[in-house]
Amino acid sequence: MSSKQHETIYLEDYQPPAWLISHTELRFELEEEHTLVRAQLSVRANPAVADKRMPLELFGDEAMELCRLSIDGQILETCDYQRDAGCLRIQNVPEHFTLECVTRLLPHENTALEGLYKSDGMFCTQCEAEGFRRITFFPDRPDVMSVFRTTLVADKARYPVLLSNGNPVDNGEDGEGRHWVTWDDPWPKPSYLFALVAGDLALLEDNYTTLSGREVALRIYAERKDLDKLDYAMQSLKNAMRWDEGVYGREYDLDIYMIVAVDFFNMGAMENKGLNIFNTSCVLAHPKTTTDLGFQRVEGVVAHEYFHNWSGNRVTCRDWFQLSLKEGFTVFRDAEFSADMNSRTVKRIEDATLLRTAQFAEDGGPMAHPVRPESYMEISNFYTLTVYEKGAEVVRMLHTLLGSELFRKGSDLYFERHDGQAVTTDDFVAAMEAVSGRDLSQFKRWYSQAGTPLLTVSDQYDEHTGEYCLNVRQSCPPSPGQEHKQPYHMPLAMGLLAEDGAELYAGCLELTGEEQQFRFTDIASRPVPSLLRGFSAPVKLDYQYSDAQLLMLLRHDTDGFNRWDAGQRFCIRLLQEQMRRYRAGEPMQCPDVLISAWRELLTDASLEPAMVAQCLELPSEAQLSELAEQIDVTAIHAAREFMRAALATALEQEWLQAYQRCDTGAAYAADAASMGRRSLKNLALSYLMLTGCEPWLELARQQYEQSDNMTDQLAALSLVAHSGFRETGAELLQAFYQQWQHEALVMNQWLSVQASDPTPGALARVQALSTHPVFDARNPNKLRALIAGFCARNLFHFHAEDGSGYEWLADWILQLDRRNPQIAARLLTPLTRWKRYDTERAALMQAQLQRMMDTAELSADVYEVVSKSLM
Ligand code: TRP
Ligand code: ZN
């Protein structure tokens, strides 16, 4: 049974480390067939731990070869230590000593992309969360912080660039073609922030002067062919550095800041001290090859990793249960940065949509966990939307409750108190309590309780007294291991509008009780409440709005987010009604009120195009699924497609005018206004294409051929490729391939466009693509484009009635699990939601999960997700 080897780790079992490592000296001999690592650790007993007779326990991957082990120069024989299941134990060691350890690694065979591995011929590392134990034996836990000095030795011709954390302090050559560089990082850090890179890399260099006058060299490394795609990341980095000085008073603390782009990477990017390693998809940007979404991602991720230098590196996590301490806070920081650089409202809409579609689904599924989880089998499975995105919402609520001034005082105190320490989410909240004098103990339930709270709101208005009363009830459904939830403390931002749209009240209520009443006096006429403005808490809201009230809010709300939200609520209601009709065999309808409301938005040239595009985008199939009692993929798809087609025909002239208005002919620029125009233009084109009329196909083809940027080219490609014009679609896909086959990131888009093609035969198409030369099952970006792309953005076909989509995915997971468990476990997500579907589909999905469960030797990653899903 595979279950035995996968133990569960509990937060309540936390013990401080018995041994500390003040200094770590590493020497890497990088060679083609293997790498030798010599580690010298200055070990001393932790004075804070009473029992000094504890054995020294080091983590080390089972597959790692131990070549030599010594204490203060004395070689240890195999009988002097015990080695089992990822752990090395040495009894009776002195109070302080030097441990030397030599390990032999096989980076070129490392397909898990954790520890030391090769990406396109260059050496690189990924140590978070527990990758360092694949490099050497070490107390690989974030509360053991050490000063690292690292020497890299490699062939000079193949690996002219040798990088590690900190500053280069020495280098030389051996006269036989090999050279070496020594790096010294003065800041103590946990092992998960260690990094090295060795390769033949080009670089873009710039510099930055911090507020206090420190000169910092900024270096972004990539393959030579990508050198022209680094300017945007560099500008974003400088913007982020300036922003963190201004908004948080935080400066950079080394002489060099390096970013390296690698093509084989499990996640987006990694904040290693002074040496960030990035997935190429999160750093390379060029108008010709990168979409607007890609540009925004680069800006956001560059800032995110930079902000970690304080929220994560200078102040780090005590244990991995505290992951949201750094991730939630840092996502909040990068979201605010992006809001300041672009449109605040649009950024908020994007983030709320991500929460509502994906994080709420996670909260309602078998892997649901609190922002600070209580247990895990494999920590990699907890780099989730809950820890990142919901964690950021929790920090945002603190910001809302305290106000920005007190919040800044709180973050200052947090950084000052805990600089150089490994701490907990309680320490973060304690700093906020200290500066505000508030009791946040109830607020902390956001960290310990899983599930999405529901607010049920009702109201009464008394014409005679002018009193308006809001009743707010909160509840939270059970989640695994948590049957009953206590009420949360949360901000409820809101306003009251008169029927004509005039604002009568704007403010923020605080909820703490299960049921609360709020009274407003001197209200001249029955108001319409605008609730949960700006998505002030990550909750679901139930208030029985009339259609007229929603349309009034869509026109007049002073809160841009809630204007959009009112429109979305109205569309969701209409779509749900069409789903009902579809199932009942009744004809579906698109009501005139919707058409006229949309006409108004579409023709009002005074509105921001980005906002109009957000408002005119129907809620996705994924979001409609999340909202459904039981998910009916066919009805969701049919209702949404019906509505889109009806809106396309009814507003054809208006779509064309909007297209023409936004098609300014200006050269590409990556600013918010230009991106907004492109998003409305391409939305308009998508509706025009839905009419199925030849002239619009011509328009799309023209856009494809004449655009100077990937946003417009790819939008046109995907519209034609997904349309009924199959021949033209195939022709453009072929042309696109010819044009871009040597650009890996563009080829990911090419795969992804085809994976999400909703026309019949979808599974056969993705199956064929999985043997295409541009596809590479070892590369996570390719897997995400094709496999995750099909499962997440082609729901109708993934959930085919015969279960073929499920079986195909399970086949992939079993195959990938042997190669890259982290990716295999991530791709599993869609199958974990099986209980939300009709009995037939649920049974088919469950059968695939069971088939995986019955497989011998699942990784801990996949085992944890599969076993929890079947519970
Ligand atoms: N700390 C990284 C980030 O936010 C996340 C990360 C990068 C990661 N690579 C990883 C997590 C590999 C787990 C495994 O921004
Ligand atoms: Zn992060």
Side-chain angles (χ1 to χ4, degrees):
M1 256 304 281
S2 45
S3 64
K4 273 188 237 124
Q5 71 218 49
H6 309 309
E7 292 173 43
T8 300
I9 318 275
Y10 295 91
L11 167 59
E12 60 183 18
D13 292 344
Y14 173 81
Q15 294 290 337
W19 298 94
L20 303 177
I21 314 290
S22 56
H23 287 80
T24 299
E25 194 155 335
L26 299 168
R27 183 183 172 88
F28 289 82
E29 304 263 357
L30 301 160
E31 283 172 50
E32 290 319 293
E33 50 299 344
H34 67 228
T35 291
L36 281 181
V37 185
R38 191 187 72 199
Q40 283 172 291
L41 316 181
S42 311
V43 188
R44 64 188 166 91
N46 183 355
V49 172
D51 185 1
K52 298 278 148 57
R53 299 265 51 92
M54 300 259 271
L56 175 70
E57 283 185 347
L58 305 171
F59 297 107
D61 191 65
E62 279 169 288
M64 193 163 58
E65 183 186 338
L66 175 57
C67 306
R68 187 157 51 105
L69 191 63
S70 73
I71 285 186
D72 291 332
Q74 288 280 121
I75 302 278
L76 301 192
E77 304 299 332
T78 38
C79 58
D80 299 328
Y81 58 87
Q82 296 102 49
R83 189 176 173 192
D84 58 77
C87 189
L88 182 83
R89 205 168 287 107
I90 312 173
Q91 311 278 350
N92 305 319
V93 290
E95 286 258 335
H96 48 87
F97 56 96
T98 301
L99 182 90
E100 191 185 275
C101 172
V102 177
T103 50
R104 203 170 74 96
L105 317 177
L106 304 173
H108 59 283
E109 287 180 12
N110 180 352
T111 57
L113 315 187
E114 257 193 296
L116 179 67
Y117 65 94
K118 288 197 100 172
S119 171
D120 286 328
M122 79 174 102
F123 288 97
C124 63
T125 53
Q126 172 55 42
C127 292
E128 186 176 4
E130 298 179 335
F132 195 71
R133 62 188 65 185
R134 292 164 177 261
I135 292 174
T136 189
F137 290 90
F138 200 82
D140 184 19
R141 42 186 284 174
D143 56 354
V144 173
M145 298 170 86
S146 181
V147 170
F148 283 73
R149 192 182 172 92
T150 304
T151 300
L152 308 180
V153 191
D155 182 82
K156 191 174 181 183
R158 269 181 205 256
Y159 309 102
V161 176
L162 302 176
L163 310 174
S164 190
N165 318 85
N167 303 308
V169 290
D170 203 358
N171 65 78
E173 292 185 31
D174 74 352
E176 284 163 51
R178 292 179 73 74
H179 70 146
W180 55 271
V181 181
T182 299
W183 291 80
D184 188 75
D185 180 1
W187 299 102
K189 65 170 175 286
S191 50
Y192 83 85
L193 289 173
F194 169 81
L196 74 76
V197 168
D200 185 2
L201 297 162
L203 97 138
L204 175 68
E205 184 153 22
D206 206 330
N207 48 66
Y208 181 88
T209 311
T210 69
L211 216 53
S212 66
R214 179 196 273 274
E215 285 295 321
V216 184
L218 308 178
R219 297 180 186 156
I220 307 186
Y221 292 87
E223 283 185 51
R224 199 149 285 116
K225 68 174 175 55
D226 292 323
L227 201 50
D228 62 339
K229 306 188 186 77
L230 299 176
D231 300 305
Y232 193 72
M234 184 63 88
Q235 189 54 52
S236 302
L237 175 60
K238 291 192 279 185
N239 292 344
M241 294 176 88
R242 204 54 87 203
W243 188 91
D244 212 18
E245 292 176 345
V247 180
Y248 282 86
R250 298 291 120 197
E251 279 191 28
Y252 187 60
D253 56 5
L254 285 168
D255 303 332
I256 312 177
Y257 192 86
M258 295 174 283
I259 291 177
V260 180
V262 305
D263 208 40
F264 284 66
F265 204 71
N266 281 347
M267 307 270 283
M270 181 61 212
E271 69 265 24
N272 315 302
K273 185 76 185 189
L275 178 56
N276 291 181
I277 298 182
F278 271 60
N279 188 321
T280 46
S281 72
C282 295
V283 57
L284 304 183
H286 188 283
K288 289 224 182 301
T289 50
T290 311
T291 64
D292 290 345
L293 219 66
F295 271 88
Q296 284 177 314
R297 184 150 172 77
V298 168
E299 179 181 63
V301 178
V302 166
H304 178 97
E305 306 311 330
Y306 175 73
F307 296 153
H308 268 315
N309 191 55
W310 276 94
S311 49
N313 301 4
R314 286 287 285 264
V315 181
T316 196
C317 301
R318 187 192 72 172
D319 55 73
W320 292 119
F321 298 103
Q322 318 297 329
L323 181 58
S324 196
L325 174 75
K326 72 176 177 82
E327 295 304 346
F329 188 22
T330 304
V331 172
F332 172 68
R333 278 150 58 68
D334 82 58
E336 285 296 291
F337 167 75
S338 293
D340 284 345
M341 295 292 126
N342 304 285
S343 156
R344 180 161 284 270
T345 308
V346 171
K347 173 66 178 156
R348 198 65 195 126
I349 289 171
E350 290 164 354
D351 288 351
T353 302
L354 179 62
L355 258 291
R356 285 172 172 172
T357 40
Q359 197 279 324
F360 284 8
E362 187 167 277
D363 249 348
M367 284 295 287
H369 54 276
V371 168
R372 184 193 57 209
E374 243 117 63
S375 69
Y376 60 77
M377 284 181 198
E378 173 50 63
I379 187 56
S380 301
N381 287 330
F382 289 80
Y383 286 74
T384 59
L385 290 153
T386 300
V387 165
Y388 276 65
E389 272 39 67
K390 186 179 180 178
E393 294 300 320
V394 172
V395 176
R396 179 179 296 279
M397 287 189 285
L398 284 170
H399 184 271
T400 307
L401 290 170
L402 268 61
S404 52
E405 254 172 64
L406 276 180
F407 182 87
R408 167 65 194 271
K409 283 202 174 114
S411 75
D412 283 353
L413 178 62
Y414 167 75
F415 288 129
E416 194 187 306
R417 261 189 189 168
H418 301 298
D419 191 6
Q421 297 178 0
V423 301
T424 65
T425 56
D426 284 339
D427 294 316
F428 183 77
V429 178
M432 295 295 164
E433 284 184 316
V435 295
S436 65
R438 298 189 58 152
D439 176 359
L440 296 170
S441 45
Q442 183 185 357
F443 183 84
K444 288 203 279 191
R445 287 177 190 154
W446 283 108
Y447 289 99
S448 58
Q449 295 186 155
T452 306
L454 169 68
L455 298 185
T456 311
V457 180
S458 62
D459 55 357
Q460 296 100 37
Y461 176 66
D462 186 331
E463 281 153 56
H464 306 294
T465 60
E467 190 181 79
Y468 177 72
C469 178
L470 268 186
N471 314 302
V472 185
R473 242 178 57 76
Q474 58 162 306
S475 61
C476 183
S479 48
Q482 294 184 335
E483 207 47 45
H484 300 287
K485 310 290 168 78
Q486 299 293 312
Y488 292 86
H489 180 186
M490 70 179 95
L492 176 63
M494 59 155 298
L496 295 177
L497 276 75
E499 303 271 319
D500 65 357
E503 188 167 76
L504 306 170
Y505 168 88
C508 187
L509 312 177
E510 278 190 37
L511 306 186
T512 48
E514 211 164 301
E515 188 149 11
Q516 272 170 283
Q517 291 203 332
F518 299 91
R519 284 171 205 288
F520 302 84
T521 49
D522 292 325
I523 305 289
S525 63
R526 182 174 192 87
V528 178
S530 166
L531 299 164
L532 203 67
R533 281 182 164 177
F535 196 52
S536 63
V539 300
K540 297 184 183 183
L541 170 70
D542 180 15
Y543 172 81
Q544 298 302 309
Y545 282 110
S546 69
D547 289 358
Q549 287 178 323
L550 288 176
L551 289 168
M552 191 281 284
L553 290 173
L554 174 61
R555 275 198 195 94
H556 299 298
D557 203 331
T558 53
D559 183 72
F561 179 88
N562 267 22
R563 281 190 73 177
W564 165 81
D565 199 34
Q568 293 291 300
R569 279 174 199 276
F570 186 58
C571 289
I572 287 167
R573 178 178 296 180
L574 292 176
L575 285 163
Q576 287 173 337
E577 167 61 11
Q578 305 325 306
M579 283 154 59
R580 188 198 62 74
R581 287 168 180 271
Y582 175 84
R583 279 194 295 262
E586 297 166 22
M588 296 188 276
Q589 293 173 352
C590 179
D592 289 338
V593 277
L594 179 66
I595 294 168
S596 45
W598 278 37
R599 179 175 292 120
E600 205 177 307
L601 287 166
L602 204 43
T603 51
D604 185 347
S606 74
L607 296 172
E608 247 187 283
M611 273 301 291
V612 177
Q614 291 290 344
C615 289
L616 301 185
E617 182 92 73
L618 287 178
S620 66
E621 291 186 13
Q623 197 184 347
L624 293 166
S625 302
E626 210 294 305
L627 289 165
E629 195 69 48
Q630 182 180 82
I631 304 170
D632 181 340
V633 264
T634 318
I636 288 173
H637 186 68
R640 192 170 180 277
E641 287 309 300
F642 166 81
M643 201 67 104
R644 292 207 312 142
L647 288 161
T649 317
L651 297 167
E652 193 170 4
Q653 279 321 302
E654 288 83 354
W655 291 122
L656 180 60
Q657 281 156 14
Y659 182 92
Q660 288 164 340
R661 201 169 66 234
C662 294
D663 187 30
T664 60
Y668 181 89
D671 59 81
S674 316
M675 289 189 189
R677 274 193 299 276
R678 278 189 293 275
S679 65
L680 182 53
K681 180 177 78 175
N682 288 316
L683 183 78
L685 185 61
S686 76
Y687 278 101
L688 289 171
M689 281 291 290
L690 279 174
T691 63
C693 299
E694 295 266 355
W696 311 139
L697 172 66
E698 258 330 291
L699 184 64
R701 183 205 273 279
Q702 233 176 58
Q703 175 173 318
Y704 175 87
E705 281 160 4
Q706 292 166 10
S707 63
D708 67 345
N709 65 83
M710 184 50 66
T711 307
D712 288 339
Q713 193 186 8
L714 191 72
L717 173 71
S718 106
L719 290 173
V720 177
H722 294 183
S723 76
F725 302 105
R726 303 308 294 166
E727 237 169 85
T728 318
E731 194 188 303
L732 293 195
L733 281 167
Q734 181 56 28
F736 191 84
Y737 172 74
Q738 286 301 330
Q739 185 181 358
W740 296 117
Q741 54 182 311
H742 302 300
E743 291 286 346
L745 295 176
V746 183
M747 281 296 101
N748 297 343
Q749 303 280 12
W750 183 75
L751 291 171
S752 166
V753 162
Q754 296 175 81
S756 57
D757 177 356
T759 58
L763 181 60
R765 284 194 300 270
V766 289
Q767 278 171 329
L769 282 168
S770 70
T771 61
H772 191 284
V774 301
F775 182 77
D776 178 355
R778 294 166 309 168
N779 184 319
N781 287 349
K782 295 281 182 283
L783 296 166
R784 277 185 279 261
L786 191 67
I787 299 177
F790 175 74
C791 300
R793 287 185 301 115
N794 213 334
L795 296 176
F796 181 67
H797 291 284
F798 172 61
H799 292 283
E801 269 177 343
D802 61 0
S804 52
Y806 308 147
E807 188 180 0
W808 176 76
L809 178 59
D811 288 347
W812 268 109
I813 290 164
L814 288 173
Q815 182 195 325
L816 290 171
D817 193 33
R818 278 171 272 137
R819 199 184 324 219
N820 186 331
Q822 283 184 12
I823 295 297
R826 266 172 201 278
L827 291 177
L828 245 172
T829 309
L831 285 175
T832 65
R833 309 281 153 79
W834 62 281
K835 287 183 184 153
R836 305 278 326 268
Y837 293 83
D838 53 276
T839 18
E840 291 77 20
R841 285 190 177 83
L844 289 165
M845 293 166 97
Q846 189 191 19
Q848 293 305 324
L849 287 166
Q850 192 58 54
R851 180 182 142 218
M852 290 188 253
M853 189 71 176
D854 296 339
T855 307
E857 290 181 53
L858 287 183
S859 67
D861 309 61
V862 168
Y863 177 82
E864 177 169 37
V865 180
V866 171
S867 61
K868 289 183 176 175
S869 300
L870 284 170
M871 283 201 305

